[in-house]
mmCIF file of all heavy atoms in Angstrom:
data_model
loop_
_atom_site.group_PDB
_atom_site.id
_atom_site.type_symbol
_atom_site.label_atom_id
_atom_site.label_comp_id
_atom_site.label_asym_id
_atom_site.label_seq_id
_atom_site.Cartn_x
_atom_site.Cartn_y
_atom_site.Cartn_z
ATOM 1 N N TYR A 365 13.069 -49.476 -43.282
ATOM 2 C CA TYR A 365 11.751 -48.913 -43.326
ATOM 3 C C TYR A 365 11.151 -49.119 -41.882
ATOM 4 O O TYR A 365 11.381 -50.160 -41.292
ATOM 5 C CB TYR A 365 10.828 -49.636 -44.333
ATOM 6 C CG TYR A 365 11.446 -49.773 -45.739
ATOM 7 C CD1 TYR A 365 11.972 -51.005 -46.088
ATOM 8 C CD2 TYR A 365 11.452 -48.728 -46.633
ATOM 9 C CE1 TYR A 365 12.559 -51.200 -47.320
ATOM 10 C CE2 TYR A 365 11.995 -48.915 -47.889
ATOM 11 C CZ TYR A 365 12.554 -50.154 -48.207
ATOM 12 O OH TYR A 365 13.148 -50.300 -49.470
ATOM 13 N N ARG A 366 10.386 -48.145 -41.447
ATOM 14 C CA ARG A 366 9.768 -48.313 -40.107
ATOM 15 C C ARG A 366 8.558 -47.407 -40.004
ATOM 16 O O ARG A 366 8.242 -46.620 -40.890
ATOM 17 C CB ARG A 366 10.781 -48.001 -39.021
ATOM 18 C CG ARG A 366 11.478 -46.628 -39.087
ATOM 19 C CD ARG A 366 12.442 -46.478 -37.923
ATOM 20 N NE ARG A 366 13.196 -45.231 -37.944
ATOM 21 C CZ ARG A 366 14.491 -45.122 -38.402
ATOM 22 N NH1 ARG A 366 15.072 -46.219 -38.838
ATOM 23 N NH2 ARG A 366 15.098 -43.950 -38.361
ATOM 24 N N ALA A 367 7.859 -47.573 -38.850
ATOM 25 C CA ALA A 367 6.617 -46.830 -38.603
ATOM 26 C C ALA A 367 6.616 -46.249 -37.209
ATOM 27 O O ALA A 367 7.257 -46.799 -36.287
ATOM 28 C CB ALA A 367 5.421 -47.773 -38.779
ATOM 29 N N LEU A 368 5.904 -45.163 -37.028
ATOM 30 C CA LEU A 368 5.666 -44.523 -35.735
ATOM 31 C C LEU A 368 4.136 -44.306 -35.605
ATOM 32 O O LEU A 368 3.466 -44.039 -36.595
ATOM 33 C CB LEU A 368 6.374 -43.175 -35.619
ATOM 34 C CG LEU A 368 7.914 -43.242 -35.517
ATOM 35 C CD1 LEU A 368 8.475 -41.797 -35.520
ATOM 36 C CD2 LEU A 368 8.369 -43.979 -34.270
ATOM 37 N N LYS A 369 3.671 -44.401 -34.418
ATOM 38 C CA LYS A 369 2.215 -44.225 -34.176
ATOM 39 C C LYS A 369 1.982 -43.048 -33.284
ATOM 40 O O LYS A 369 2.840 -42.583 -32.547
ATOM 41 C CB LYS A 369 1.545 -45.456 -33.614
ATOM 42 C CG LYS A 369 2.141 -45.846 -32.203
ATOM 43 C CD LYS A 369 1.503 -47.124 -31.717
ATOM 44 C CE LYS A 369 2.070 -47.540 -30.372
ATOM 45 N NZ LYS A 369 1.510 -48.783 -29.853
ATOM 46 N N GLY A 370 0.731 -42.514 -33.319
ATOM 47 C CA GLY A 370 0.394 -41.448 -32.449
ATOM 48 C C GLY A 370 -1.105 -41.103 -32.505
ATOM 49 O O GLY A 370 -1.853 -41.764 -33.263
ATOM 50 N N THR A 371 -1.539 -40.165 -31.681
ATOM 51 C CA THR A 371 -2.900 -39.707 -31.707
ATOM 52 C C THR A 371 -2.881 -38.180 -31.630
ATOM 53 O O THR A 371 -2.001 -37.591 -31.001
ATOM 54 C CB THR A 371 -3.751 -40.249 -30.583
ATOM 55 O OG1 THR A 371 -3.177 -39.896 -29.327
ATOM 56 C CG2 THR A 371 -3.889 -41.784 -30.695
ATOM 57 N N ALA A 372 -3.874 -37.546 -32.244
ATOM 58 C CA ALA A 372 -3.983 -36.068 -32.214
ATOM 59 C C ALA A 372 -5.450 -35.706 -32.440
ATOM 60 O O ALA A 372 -6.228 -36.505 -32.983
ATOM 61 C CB ALA A 372 -3.120 -35.465 -33.315
ATOM 62 N N SER A 373 -5.802 -34.508 -31.996
ATOM 63 C CA SER A 373 -7.212 -34.103 -32.038
ATOM 64 C C SER A 373 -7.735 -34.090 -33.470
ATOM 65 O O SER A 373 -8.871 -34.414 -33.724
ATOM 66 C CB SER A 373 -7.392 -32.764 -31.358
ATOM 67 O OG SER A 373 -6.591 -31.777 -31.974
ATOM 68 N N ASN A 374 -6.919 -33.612 -34.397
ATOM 69 C CA ASN A 374 -7.391 -33.465 -35.781
ATOM 70 C C ASN A 374 -6.989 -34.666 -36.680
ATOM 71 O O ASN A 374 -7.459 -34.743 -37.837
ATOM 72 C CB ASN A 374 -6.888 -32.166 -36.416
ATOM 73 C CG ASN A 374 -5.351 -32.098 -36.411
ATOM 74 O OD1 ASN A 374 -4.700 -32.749 -35.601
ATOM 75 N ND2 ASN A 374 -4.830 -31.260 -37.293
ATOM 76 N N TRP A 375 -6.113 -35.502 -36.184
ATOM 77 C CA TRP A 375 -5.701 -36.692 -37.002
ATOM 78 C C TRP A 375 -6.164 -37.972 -36.406
ATOM 79 O O TRP A 375 -5.964 -39.039 -37.057
ATOM 80 C CB TRP A 375 -4.190 -36.689 -37.075
ATOM 81 C CG TRP A 375 -3.648 -35.859 -38.161
ATOM 82 C CD1 TRP A 375 -4.117 -34.666 -38.653
ATOM 83 C CD2 TRP A 375 -2.462 -36.118 -38.982
ATOM 84 N NE1 TRP A 375 -3.327 -34.172 -39.661
ATOM 85 C CE2 TRP A 375 -2.319 -35.042 -39.864
ATOM 86 C CE3 TRP A 375 -1.537 -37.164 -39.000
ATOM 87 C CZ2 TRP A 375 -1.285 -34.997 -40.826
ATOM 88 C CZ3 TRP A 375 -0.503 -37.096 -39.923
ATOM 89 C CH2 TRP A 375 -0.399 -35.996 -40.837
ATOM 90 N N GLY A 376 -6.775 -37.988 -35.230
ATOM 91 C CA GLY A 376 -7.156 -39.255 -34.617
ATOM 92 C C GLY A 376 -5.952 -40.162 -34.407
ATOM 93 O O GLY A 376 -4.844 -39.719 -34.140
ATOM 94 N N THR A 377 -6.171 -41.468 -34.586
ATOM 95 C CA THR A 377 -5.045 -42.396 -34.586
ATOM 96 C C THR A 377 -4.339 -42.343 -35.913
ATOM 97 O O THR A 377 -4.999 -42.363 -36.970
ATOM 98 C CB THR A 377 -5.584 -43.846 -34.325
ATOM 99 O OG1 THR A 377 -6.213 -43.883 -33.059
ATOM 100 C CG2 THR A 377 -4.414 -44.841 -34.338
ATOM 101 N N TYR A 378 -3.042 -42.277 -35.905
ATOM 102 C CA TYR A 378 -2.298 -42.158 -37.172
ATOM 103 C C TYR A 378 -0.957 -42.861 -37.055
ATOM 104 O O TYR A 378 -0.485 -43.253 -35.977
ATOM 105 C CB TYR A 378 -2.041 -40.683 -37.514
ATOM 106 C CG TYR A 378 -1.134 -39.939 -36.537
ATOM 107 C CD1 TYR A 378 0.262 -40.011 -36.708
ATOM 108 C CD2 TYR A 378 -1.649 -39.223 -35.476
ATOM 109 C CE1 TYR A 378 1.114 -39.340 -35.780
ATOM 110 C CE2 TYR A 378 -0.822 -38.590 -34.580
ATOM 111 C CZ TYR A 378 0.539 -38.647 -34.751
ATOM 112 O OH TYR A 378 1.364 -38.026 -33.864
ATOM 113 N N ILE A 379 -0.331 -43.128 -38.237
ATOM 114 C CA ILE A 379 1.044 -43.579 -38.267
ATOM 115 C C ILE A 379 1.773 -42.758 -39.322
ATOM 116 O O ILE A 379 1.167 -42.314 -40.342
ATOM 117 C CB ILE A 379 1.169 -45.079 -38.611
ATOM 118 C CG1 ILE A 379 0.638 -45.440 -40.008
ATOM 119 C CG2 ILE A 379 0.485 -45.927 -37.553
ATOM 120 C CD1 ILE A 379 0.983 -46.827 -40.481
ATOM 121 N N PHE A 380 2.991 -42.489 -39.089
ATOM 122 C CA PHE A 380 3.969 -42.121 -40.114
ATOM 123 C C PHE A 380 4.736 -43.410 -40.440
ATOM 124 O O PHE A 380 5.078 -44.179 -39.503
ATOM 125 C CB PHE A 380 4.900 -41.021 -39.681
ATOM 126 C CG PHE A 380 4.288 -39.671 -39.677
ATOM 127 C CD1 PHE A 380 3.859 -39.072 -38.496
ATOM 128 C CD2 PHE A 380 4.097 -38.938 -40.854
ATOM 129 C CE1 PHE A 380 3.272 -37.807 -38.482
ATOM 130 C CE2 PHE A 380 3.532 -37.689 -40.851
ATOM 131 C CZ PHE A 380 3.113 -37.132 -39.674
ATOM 132 N N TYR A 381 5.105 -43.636 -41.699
ATOM 133 C CA TYR A 381 5.796 -44.853 -42.020
ATOM 134 C C TYR A 381 6.670 -44.593 -43.292
ATOM 135 O O TYR A 381 6.504 -43.614 -43.996
ATOM 136 C CB TYR A 381 4.783 -45.983 -42.341
ATOM 137 C CG TYR A 381 4.059 -45.733 -43.661
ATOM 138 C CD1 TYR A 381 4.502 -46.324 -44.850
ATOM 139 C CD2 TYR A 381 2.949 -44.872 -43.690
ATOM 140 C CE1 TYR A 381 3.868 -46.047 -46.045
ATOM 141 C CE2 TYR A 381 2.316 -44.615 -44.901
ATOM 142 C CZ TYR A 381 2.756 -45.217 -46.060
ATOM 143 O OH TYR A 381 2.158 -44.935 -47.249
ATOM 144 N N GLY A 382 7.551 -45.549 -43.548
ATOM 145 C CA GLY A 382 8.355 -45.485 -44.773
ATOM 146 C C GLY A 382 9.817 -45.510 -44.539
ATOM 147 O O GLY A 382 10.292 -45.806 -43.453
ATOM 148 N N GLY A 383 10.540 -45.211 -45.606
ATOM 149 C CA GLY A 383 11.999 -45.180 -45.514
ATOM 150 C C GLY A 383 12.656 -45.283 -46.840
ATOM 151 O O GLY A 383 12.009 -45.521 -47.887
ATOM 152 N N PRO A 384 14.009 -45.172 -46.866
ATOM 153 C CA PRO A 384 14.754 -45.115 -48.110
ATOM 154 C C PRO A 384 15.347 -46.420 -48.604
ATOM 155 O O PRO A 384 16.026 -46.456 -49.606
ATOM 156 C CB PRO A 384 15.874 -44.115 -47.810
ATOM 157 C CG PRO A 384 16.123 -44.401 -46.330
ATOM 158 C CD PRO A 384 14.809 -44.745 -45.738
ATOM 159 N N GLY A 385 15.135 -47.516 -47.823
ATOM 160 C CA GLY A 385 15.793 -48.717 -48.194
ATOM 161 C C GLY A 385 17.314 -48.608 -48.080
ATOM 162 O O GLY A 385 17.840 -47.933 -47.161
ATOM 163 N N LYS A 386 18.000 -49.199 -49.011
ATOM 164 C CA LYS A 386 19.475 -49.231 -48.886
ATOM 165 C C LYS A 386 20.119 -47.874 -49.203
ATOM 166 O O LYS A 386 21.383 -47.759 -49.145
ATOM 167 C CB LYS A 386 20.043 -50.307 -49.755
ATOM 168 C CG LYS A 386 20.043 -50.136 -51.243
ATOM 169 C CD LYS A 386 20.737 -51.215 -51.988
ATOM 170 C CE LYS A 386 20.790 -50.979 -53.497
ATOM 171 N NZ LYS A 386 21.434 -52.078 -54.180
ATOM 172 N N ASN A 387 19.300 -46.862 -49.543
ATOM 173 C CA ASN A 387 19.887 -45.507 -49.568
ATOM 174 C C ASN A 387 20.371 -45.066 -48.236
ATOM 175 O O ASN A 387 21.201 -44.159 -48.123
ATOM 176 C CB ASN A 387 18.828 -44.533 -50.136
ATOM 177 C CG ASN A 387 18.624 -44.622 -51.602
ATOM 178 O OD1 ASN A 387 19.557 -44.702 -52.360
ATOM 179 N ND2 ASN A 387 17.358 -44.656 -52.007
ATOM 180 N N ASN A 388 19.842 -45.717 -47.160
ATOM 181 C CA ASN A 388 20.402 -45.554 -45.862
ATOM 182 C C ASN A 388 21.526 -46.559 -45.683
ATOM 183 O O ASN A 388 21.332 -47.735 -45.788
ATOM 184 C CB ASN A 388 19.331 -45.794 -44.787
ATOM 185 C CG ASN A 388 19.843 -45.717 -43.374
ATOM 186 O OD1 ASN A 388 20.881 -45.054 -43.104
ATOM 187 N ND2 ASN A 388 19.197 -46.373 -42.451
#
Side-chain angles (χ1 to χ4, degrees):
Y365 313 100
R366 55 180 176 259
L368 291 176
K369 63 182 177 180
T371 58
S373 59
N374 59 337
W375 275 35
T377 299
Y378 66 85
I379 65 169
F380 284 102
Y381 71 95
K386 72 176 184 182
N387 284 315
N388 177 24

